[in-house]
Amino acid sequence: LSLTPQQPSSWQPRLRADAYTVMTEAFLSGNGIYSCSNCRAHLAKHEDIVSKSFQGRHGRAHLFSNVVNVSLGPSENRVLITGLHTVADIYCSKCSTVLGWKYVSLFHGSTE
């Protein structure tokens, strides 16, 4: 999972709560907590960083092994620096800010 600011797409997550759905926000403990720049919802722990050597559309990005408080957009094929990948944008589940993307699959011939 890579977190980096991106331009909003036409798809926006629909957050809803009704009598059968209770949306709760996860709070992470410890030092080095990454949070949404808009609403400060906790997203990931520093220890969950897999790599800091990713490049997003708008600058440096981090690859995380685990994140919380995010919603997933639809999968789409996207040409990244390392080749063609199927990715899905991720959004803050509290304020719907675009945070980055999740790798869904890697096409043959792309590098990891």
Side-chain angles (χ1 to χ4, degrees):
L1 184 63
S2 180
L3 299 177
T4 185
Q6 294 184 350
Q7 297 297 324
S9 66
S10 60
W11 181 87
Q12 289 297 315
R14 298 198 191 285
L15 303 177
R16 61 173 216 164
D18 55 37
Y20 305 104
T21 305
V22 177
M23 298 184 77
T24 60
E25 181 180 347
F27 291 93
L28 302 173
S29 61
N31 294 325
I33 303 297
Y34 286 81
S35 62
C36 174
S37 62
N38 186 52
C39 71
R40 300 295 181 212
H42 289 186
L43 300 172
K45 293 182 176 184
H46 179 77
E47 61 206 44
D48 290 330
I49 293 176
V50 174
S51 175
K52 291 184 177 183
S53 63
F54 279 77
Q55 187 68 28
R57 278 186 210 154
H58 304 288
R60 199 171 104 203
H62 296 352
L63 180 68
F64 290 87
S65 61
N66 186 48
V67 295
V68 296
N69 299 321
V70 298
S71 59
L72 195 60
S75 296
E76 63 181 42
N77 294 334
R78 195 177 292 167
V79 177
L80 303 175
I81 293 171
T82 55
L84 182 63
H85 301 274
T86 301
V87 298
D89 286 337
I90 60 168
Y91 300 82
C92 175
S93 60
K94 186 174 178 184
C95 70
S96 299
T97 296
V98 179
L99 300 170
W101 70 91
K102 174 184 178 177
Y103 288 101
V104 176
S105 67
L106 180 70
F107 282 92
H108 187 314
S110 297
T111 59
E112 291 186 30

